[in-house]
């Protein structure tokens, strides 16, 4: 899998701080934006805004990621976070009958998996040919034959999201209880952000790192104390 930050709002921390300044001070939006250009003020206020949960101002900053080589299983999880724009590679217009088109979970037997993949790919390619011979177009043939392709089939996605949602997705998808592939995806997203926006990247963490407790109850992985355990310890003194 590969993740690339394709484009983003210029100076995302600055526009976030400018939006906050506008809410609490006299003056025009242009004046708030100029004031937010101060590095010292910008860094201090940005951190305060995130930590205090002022989410609406974070929605002015947008980021677009190019994601290559993720599975359809992983993309299905990503698009559940609906506060964003998604475009995904079509299995109707793009031929997917290649032996390396699949993501293999590390917990499964690779050799057996590849044997099954070969059968699937061979069936797909044969059916595309058979349907074309029967008079269907290439697109029609591929859109019917693709029904054999499993969740492991690779896909490419362009994802645009605002900063508020990016932090939210990181909180849930970097959690140890999240599925391994989307954890890998969000780890790569964080790595991309660290290269250009380290102040922002520090907040792309599991939610327990941000809130300093786990809200998963009995499903906790044990990385952090649950709210119930903290309350019990406080009660005991």
């Amino acid at each position: 899998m590969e993740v690339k930050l394709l484009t983003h709002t210029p100076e995302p921390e600055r526009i976030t701080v400018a939006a906050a300044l506008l809410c609490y001070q006299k003056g025009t939006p242009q004046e708030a934006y100029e004031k937010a250009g101060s590095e010292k003020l910008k860094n201090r206020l940005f951190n305060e805004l995130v930590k205090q949960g002022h989410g609406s101002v974070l929605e002015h900053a947008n980021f677009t990621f190019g994601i290559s080589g993720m599975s359809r299983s992983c993309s299905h999880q990503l698009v559940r976070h609906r506060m964003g724009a998604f475009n995904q590679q079509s299995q109707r217009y793009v031929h997917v009958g290649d032996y390396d088109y699949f993501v293999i979970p590390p917990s499964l037997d690779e050799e057996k998996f590849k044997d099954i993949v070969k059968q699937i790919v061979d069936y797909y390619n044969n059916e595309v040919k058979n349907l074309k011979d029967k008079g269907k177009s290439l697109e029609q043939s591929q859109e019917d034959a693709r029904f054999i392709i499993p969740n492991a089939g690779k896909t490419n996605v362009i994802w645009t999201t605002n900063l508020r949602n990016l932090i939210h997705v990181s909180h849930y998808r970097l959690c140890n209880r999240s599925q391994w592939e989307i954890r890998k995806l969000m780890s790569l997203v964080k790595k991309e952000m660290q290269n250009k926006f380290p102040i922002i990247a520090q907040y792309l963490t599991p939610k327990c790192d941000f809130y300093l407790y786990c809200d998963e109850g009995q499903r906790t992985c044990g990385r952090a104390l649950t709210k119930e355990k903290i309350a019990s310890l406080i009660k005991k003194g």
Side-chain angles (χ1 to χ4, degrees):
M1 186 192 302
E2 182 180 359
V3 174
K4 184 71 176 177
L5 179 60
L6 301 178
T7 188
H8 55 81
T9 299
E11 300 184 275
E13 301 101 326
R14 182 177 181 180
I15 190 60
T16 295
V17 170
L21 290 174
L22 181 69
C23 295
Y24 297 102
Q25 298 182 10
K26 288 185 177 181
T28 66
Q30 294 87 338
E31 290 169 337
Y33 188 75
E34 287 299 318
K35 188 173 183 180
S38 163
E39 285 296 317
K40 185 177 180 180
L41 177 67
K42 178 180 67 177
N43 293 342
R44 177 177 65 81
L45 286 183
F46 178 82
N47 286 317
E48 289 181 6
L49 290 167
V50 177
K51 291 176 181 178
Q52 293 174 9
H54 292 291
S56 63
V57 297
L58 303 178
E59 294 176 8
H60 293 287
N62 289 276
F63 304 87
T64 299
F65 300 94
I67 307 167
S68 305
M70 69 194 305
S71 73
R72 287 264 169 173
S73 175
C74 188
S75 70
H76 293 338
Q77 295 179 70
L78 181 62
V79 299
R80 290 176 193 148
H81 298 282
R82 295 181 291 275
M83 294 299 293
F86 303 90
N87 283 96
Q88 185 169 12
Q89 195 170 60
S90 170
Q91 288 182 332
R92 179 186 186 188
Y93 295 102
V94 178
H95 183 82
V96 295
D98 299 312
Y99 296 127
D100 62 350
Y101 180 72
F102 298 84
V103 174
I104 304 177
S107 62
L108 300 184
D109 186 298
E110 183 175 351
E111 185 175 347
K112 290 181 179 179
F113 195 95
K114 286 183 175 179
D115 286 342
I116 296 173
V117 163
K118 185 179 185 306
Q119 297 176 50
I120 291 172
V121 170
D122 289 344
Y123 176 88
Y124 170 87
N125 287 324
N126 288 335
E127 286 306 305
V128 169
K129 181 180 182 303
N130 290 338
L131 291 171
K132 284 177 64 182
D133 290 345
K134 292 177 181 178
K136 285 199 171 187
S137 68
L138 176 61
E139 290 79 12
Q140 290 173 324
S141 301
Q142 290 179 164
E143 74 177 356
D144 284 351
R146 66 180 170 172
F147 276 76
I148 195 65
I149 303 297
N151 276 339
K154 289 183 180 178
T155 189
N156 298 331
V157 172
I158 289 180
W159 173 38
T160 299
T161 185
N162 66 53
L163 180 53
R164 185 181 194 174
N165 189 58
L166 182 61
I167 292 174
H168 171 80
V169 175
S170 298
H171 284 350
Y172 283 87
R173 298 304 185 172
L174 287 174
C175 173
N176 284 340
R177 295 192 67 255
S178 190
Q179 187 255 0
W180 66 270
E181 190 182 7
I182 200 164
R183 286 206 315 270
K184 178 180 179 180
L185 166 62
M186 293 310 300
S187 294
L188 293 173
V189 167
K190 180 173 182 175
K191 185 177 180 180
E192 273 290 281
M193 292 295 289
Q194 283 175 328
N195 292 332
K196 295 185 177 180
F197 304 108
I199 294 176
I200 292 175
Q202 67 182 314
Y203 297 110
L204 306 184
T205 67
K207 54 185 173 178
C208 61
D209 283 1
F210 185 83
Y211 295 109
L212 301 181
Y213 65 84
C214 174
D215 63 359
E216 292 290 337
Q218 294 182 349
R219 298 177 299 176
T220 180
C221 73
R223 178 175 178 173
L225 294 177
T226 64
K227 290 189 293 185
E228 294 80 7
K229 181 64 175 177
I230 292 173
S232 175
L233 291 173
I234 293 173
K235 186 176 180 179
K236 289 179 180 179

